[in-house]
mmCIF file of all heavy atoms in Angstrom:
data_model
loop_
_atom_site.group_PDB
_atom_site.id
_atom_site.type_symbol
_atom_site.label_atom_id
_atom_site.label_comp_id
_atom_site.label_asym_id
_atom_site.label_seq_id
_atom_site.Cartn_x
_atom_site.Cartn_y
_atom_site.Cartn_z
ATOM 1 N N VAL A 24 -11.035 9.919 -9.218
ATOM 2 C CA VAL A 24 -11.093 8.477 -8.961
ATOM 3 C C VAL A 24 -10.012 8.055 -7.963
ATOM 4 O O VAL A 24 -10.173 7.080 -7.224
ATOM 5 C CB VAL A 24 -10.936 7.708 -10.294
ATOM 6 C CG1 VAL A 24 -10.853 6.202 -10.051
ATOM 7 C CG2 VAL A 24 -12.095 8.033 -11.232
ATOM 8 N N ASP A 25 -8.925 8.816 -7.918
ATOM 9 C CA ASP A 25 -7.777 8.442 -7.087
ATOM 10 C C ASP A 25 -8.087 8.282 -5.597
ATOM 11 O O ASP A 25 -7.552 7.371 -4.960
ATOM 12 C CB ASP A 25 -6.654 9.466 -7.248
ATOM 13 C CG ASP A 25 -6.026 9.446 -8.635
ATOM 14 O OD1 ASP A 25 -6.340 8.535 -9.428
ATOM 15 O OD2 ASP A 25 -5.220 10.348 -8.939
ATOM 16 N N PRO A 26 -8.893 9.162 -4.979
ATOM 17 C CA PRO A 26 -9.012 9.096 -3.509
ATOM 18 C C PRO A 26 -9.606 7.812 -2.969
ATOM 19 O O PRO A 26 -9.465 7.531 -1.776
ATOM 20 C CB PRO A 26 -9.911 10.296 -3.171
ATOM 21 C CG PRO A 26 -10.637 10.616 -4.423
ATOM 22 C CD PRO A 26 -9.667 10.297 -5.523
ATOM 23 N N TYR A 27 -10.239 6.989 -3.823
ATOM 24 C CA TYR A 27 -10.833 5.747 -3.322
ATOM 25 C C TYR A 27 -9.772 4.722 -2.910
ATOM 26 O O TYR A 27 -10.065 3.817 -2.115
ATOM 27 C CB TYR A 27 -11.779 5.154 -4.373
ATOM 28 C CG TYR A 27 -12.952 6.060 -4.658
ATOM 29 C CD1 TYR A 27 -13.048 6.757 -5.852
ATOM 30 C CD2 TYR A 27 -13.956 6.255 -3.704
ATOM 31 C CE1 TYR A 27 -14.107 7.612 -6.111
ATOM 32 C CE2 TYR A 27 -15.023 7.112 -3.956
ATOM 33 C CZ TYR A 27 -15.088 7.779 -5.157
ATOM 34 O OH TYR A 27 -16.136 8.634 -5.401
ATOM 35 N N TRP A 28 -8.543 4.868 -3.416
ATOM 36 C CA TRP A 28 -7.479 3.970 -2.960
ATOM 37 C C TRP A 28 -7.302 4.091 -1.444
ATOM 38 O O TRP A 28 -7.224 3.088 -0.737
ATOM 39 C CB TRP A 28 -6.158 4.313 -3.653
ATOM 40 C CG TRP A 28 -6.085 3.906 -5.091
ATOM 41 C CD1 TRP A 28 -6.538 4.616 -6.161
ATOM 42 C CD2 TRP A 28 -5.546 2.687 -5.616
ATOM 43 N NE1 TRP A 28 -6.300 3.919 -7.327
ATOM 44 C CE2 TRP A 28 -5.696 2.741 -7.025
ATOM 45 C CE3 TRP A 28 -4.931 1.572 -5.051
ATOM 46 C CZ2 TRP A 28 -5.258 1.719 -7.859
ATOM 47 C CZ3 TRP A 28 -4.484 0.546 -5.881
ATOM 48 C CH2 TRP A 28 -4.654 0.620 -7.263
ATOM 49 N N ALA A 29 -7.269 5.321 -0.965
ATOM 50 C CA ALA A 29 -7.085 5.530 0.473
ATOM 51 C C ALA A 29 -8.387 5.371 1.236
ATOM 52 O O ALA A 29 -8.440 4.680 2.253
ATOM 53 C CB ALA A 29 -6.502 6.915 0.732
ATOM 54 N N SER A 30 -9.457 6.004 0.745
ATOM 55 C CA SER A 30 -10.703 6.018 1.514
ATOM 56 C C SER A 30 -11.295 4.624 1.672
ATOM 57 O O SER A 30 -12.009 4.357 2.644
ATOM 58 C CB SER A 30 -11.725 6.948 0.853
ATOM 59 O OG SER A 30 -12.136 6.460 -0.411
ATOM 60 N N CYS A 31 -10.988 3.717 0.738
ATOM 61 C CA CYS A 31 -11.511 2.345 0.808
ATOM 62 C C CYS A 31 -10.448 1.334 1.248
ATOM 63 O O CYS A 31 -10.652 0.123 1.151
ATOM 64 C CB CYS A 31 -12.087 1.934 -0.542
ATOM 65 S SG CYS A 31 -13.528 2.896 -1.038
ATOM 66 N N GLU A 32 -9.311 1.829 1.717
ATOM 67 C CA GLU A 32 -8.245 0.994 2.272
ATOM 68 C C GLU A 32 -7.719 -0.043 1.285
ATOM 69 O O GLU A 32 -7.608 -1.232 1.586
ATOM 70 C CB GLU A 32 -8.704 0.309 3.568
ATOM 71 C CG GLU A 32 -9.031 1.299 4.689
ATOM 72 C CD GLU A 32 -9.414 0.617 6.001
ATOM 73 O OE1 GLU A 32 -9.793 -0.574 5.971
ATOM 74 O OE2 GLU A 32 -9.340 1.281 7.051
ATOM 75 N N VAL A 33 -7.389 0.427 0.084
ATOM 76 C CA VAL A 33 -6.729 -0.432 -0.899
ATOM 77 C C VAL A 33 -5.246 -0.072 -0.874
ATOM 78 O O VAL A 33 -4.815 0.933 -1.445
ATOM 79 C CB VAL A 33 -7.300 -0.223 -2.315
ATOM 80 C CG1 VAL A 33 -6.616 -1.176 -3.302
ATOM 81 C CG2 VAL A 33 -8.800 -0.448 -2.320
ATOM 82 N N ASP A 34 -4.454 -0.863 -0.189
ATOM 83 C CA ASP A 34 -3.028 -0.584 -0.025
ATOM 84 C C ASP A 34 -2.219 -1.197 -1.168
ATOM 85 O O ASP A 34 -2.602 -2.210 -1.756
ATOM 86 C CB ASP A 34 -2.525 -1.144 1.304
ATOM 87 C CG ASP A 34 -3.219 -0.501 2.495
ATOM 88 O OD1 ASP A 34 -3.505 0.704 2.417
ATOM 89 O OD2 ASP A 34 -3.484 -1.209 3.482
ATOM 90 N N ILE A 35 -1.079 -0.577 -1.442
ATOM 91 C CA ILE A 35 -0.191 -1.073 -2.496
ATOM 92 C C ILE A 35 1.084 -1.653 -1.898
ATOM 93 O O ILE A 35 1.436 -2.806 -2.164
ATOM 94 C CB ILE A 35 0.155 0.047 -3.494
ATOM 95 C CG1 ILE A 35 -1.124 0.583 -4.154
ATOM 96 C CG2 ILE A 35 1.131 -0.473 -4.563
ATOM 97 C CD1 ILE A 35 -0.895 1.798 -5.035
ATOM 98 N N LEU A 36 1.799 -0.870 -1.079
ATOM 99 C CA LEU A 36 3.055 -1.317 -0.491
ATOM 100 C C LEU A 36 3.018 -1.228 1.031
ATOM 101 O O LEU A 36 2.301 -0.416 1.603
ATOM 102 C CB LEU A 36 4.231 -0.460 -0.993
ATOM 103 C CG LEU A 36 4.539 -0.456 -2.487
ATOM 104 C CD1 LEU A 36 5.752 0.433 -2.764
ATOM 105 C CD2 LEU A 36 4.797 -1.868 -3.012
ATOM 106 N N ALA A 37 3.800 -2.081 1.662
ATOM 107 C CA ALA A 37 4.033 -2.025 3.107
ATOM 108 C C ALA A 37 5.520 -2.304 3.328
ATOM 109 O O ALA A 37 6.312 -2.309 2.383
ATOM 110 C CB ALA A 37 3.156 -3.037 3.840
ATOM 111 N N ARG A 38 5.903 -2.526 4.580
ATOM 112 C CA ARG A 38 7.305 -2.819 4.914
ATOM 113 C C ARG A 38 7.408 -4.210 5.524
ATOM 114 O O ARG A 38 6.524 -4.645 6.266
ATOM 115 C CB ARG A 38 7.827 -1.828 5.946
ATOM 116 C CG ARG A 38 7.699 -0.383 5.561
ATOM 117 C CD ARG A 38 8.898 0.094 4.791
ATOM 118 N NE ARG A 38 8.848 1.530 4.611
ATOM 119 C CZ ARG A 38 9.798 2.242 4.067
ATOM 120 N NH1 ARG A 38 10.916 1.649 3.670
ATOM 121 N NH2 ARG A 38 9.684 3.547 3.915
ATOM 122 N N ASP A 39 8.508 -4.889 5.230
ATOM 123 C CA ASP A 39 8.752 -6.143 5.925
ATOM 124 C C ASP A 39 9.696 -5.888 7.099
ATOM 125 O O ASP A 39 10.086 -4.746 7.372
ATOM 126 C CB ASP A 39 9.297 -7.213 4.981
ATOM 127 C CG ASP A 39 10.648 -6.853 4.377
ATOM 128 O OD1 ASP A 39 11.347 -5.977 4.937
ATOM 129 O OD2 ASP A 39 11.016 -7.453 3.352
ATOM 130 N N GLU A 40 10.089 -6.942 7.795
ATOM 131 C CA GLU A 40 10.896 -6.776 9.008
ATOM 132 C C GLU A 40 12.289 -6.220 8.720
ATOM 133 O O GLU A 40 12.960 -5.695 9.615
ATOM 134 C CB GLU A 40 11.022 -8.118 9.740
ATOM 135 C CG GLU A 40 11.677 -9.235 8.960
ATOM 136 C CD GLU A 40 10.702 -9.983 8.071
ATOM 137 O OE1 GLU A 40 9.540 -9.535 7.946
ATOM 138 O OE2 GLU A 40 11.089 -11.029 7.501
ATOM 139 N N ASP A 41 12.734 -6.306 7.464
ATOM 140 C CA ASP A 41 14.055 -5.776 7.096
ATOM 141 C C ASP A 41 13.996 -4.340 6.588
ATOM 142 O O ASP A 41 15.025 -3.766 6.224
ATOM 143 C CB ASP A 41 14.694 -6.664 6.023
ATOM 144 C CG ASP A 41 14.946 -8.082 6.517
ATOM 145 O OD1 ASP A 41 15.353 -8.226 7.692
ATOM 146 O OD2 ASP A 41 14.725 -9.030 5.742
ATOM 147 N N GLY A 42 12.803 -3.775 6.551
ATOM 148 C CA GLY A 42 12.652 -2.414 6.053
ATOM 149 C C GLY A 42 12.461 -2.318 4.554
ATOM 150 O O GLY A 42 12.388 -1.214 3.998
ATOM 151 N N ASP A 43 12.394 -3.453 3.867
ATOM 152 C CA ASP A 43 12.170 -3.446 2.425
ATOM 153 C C ASP A 43 10.689 -3.232 2.125
ATOM 154 O O ASP A 43 9.816 -3.628 2.896
ATOM 155 C CB ASP A 43 12.607 -4.777 1.802
ATOM 156 C CG ASP A 43 14.110 -4.953 1.797
ATOM 157 O OD1 ASP A 43 14.823 -3.956 1.565
ATOM 158 O OD2 ASP A 43 14.571 -6.088 2.025
ATOM 159 N N PHE A 44 10.417 -2.607 0.976
ATOM 160 C CA PHE A 44 9.040 -2.504 0.510
ATOM 161 C C PHE A 44 8.544 -3.885 0.106
ATOM 162 O O PHE A 44 9.288 -4.685 -0.481
ATOM 163 C CB PHE A 44 8.940 -1.568 -0.698
ATOM 164 C CG PHE A 44 9.229 -0.134 -0.384
ATOM 165 C CD1 PHE A 44 10.202 0.550 -1.103
ATOM 166 C CD2 PHE A 44 8.545 0.538 0.610
ATOM 167 C CE1 PHE A 44 10.475 1.883 -0.833
ATOM 168 C CE2 PHE A 44 8.806 1.865 0.889
ATOM 169 C CZ PHE A 44 9.776 2.544 0.170
ATOM 170 N N THR A 45 7.287 -4.149 0.408
ATOM 171 C CA THR A 45 6.670 -5.402 -0.002
ATOM 172 C C THR A 45 5.275 -5.118 -0.530
ATOM 173 O O THR A 45 4.592 -4.205 -0.050
ATOM 174 C CB THR A 45 6.599 -6.406 1.166
ATOM 175 O OG1 THR A 45 6.037 -7.636 0.721
ATOM 176 C CG2 THR A 45 5.779 -5.864 2.322
ATOM 177 N N ILE A 46 4.857 -5.851 -1.527
ATOM 178 C CA ILE A 46 3.555 -5.618 -2.169
ATOM 179 C C ILE A 46 2.441 -6.265 -1.352
ATOM 180 O O ILE A 46 2.504 -7.454 -1.033
ATOM 181 C CB ILE A 46 3.560 -6.174 -3.602
ATOM 182 C CG1 ILE A 46 4.611 -5.443 -4.445
ATOM 183 C CG2 ILE A 46 2.179 -6.027 -4.247
ATOM 184 C CD1 ILE A 46 4.836 -6.055 -5.818
ATOM 185 N N VAL A 47 1.433 -5.485 -1.014
ATOM 186 C CA VAL A 47 0.277 -5.994 -0.261
ATOM 187 C C VAL A 47 -1.015 -5.782 -1.044
ATOM 188 O O VAL A 47 -2.104 -6.037 -0.533
ATOM 189 C CB VAL A 47 0.171 -5.312 1.119
ATOM 190 C CG1 VAL A 47 1.351 -5.684 2.003
ATOM 191 C CG2 VAL A 47 0.055 -3.799 0.989
#
C-alpha cells in the first residue's frame, strides 16, 4: 500500500524559505 504515496503525489513534508520542514 505504501508506494501510492509517491506514485500518486501525496506529499507529507516540504521546506520553507528558512530550510525548516513544513507540512504540505
Side-chain angles (χ1 to χ4, degrees):
V24 174
D25 292 351
Y27 296 108
W28 287 85
S30 66
C31 295
E32 297 183 340
V33 182
D34 298 324
I35 300 173
L36 298 181
R38 304 272 189 175
D39 63 19
E40 60 275 8
D41 297 321
D43 289 322
F44 293 126
T45 182
I46 298 172
V47 294

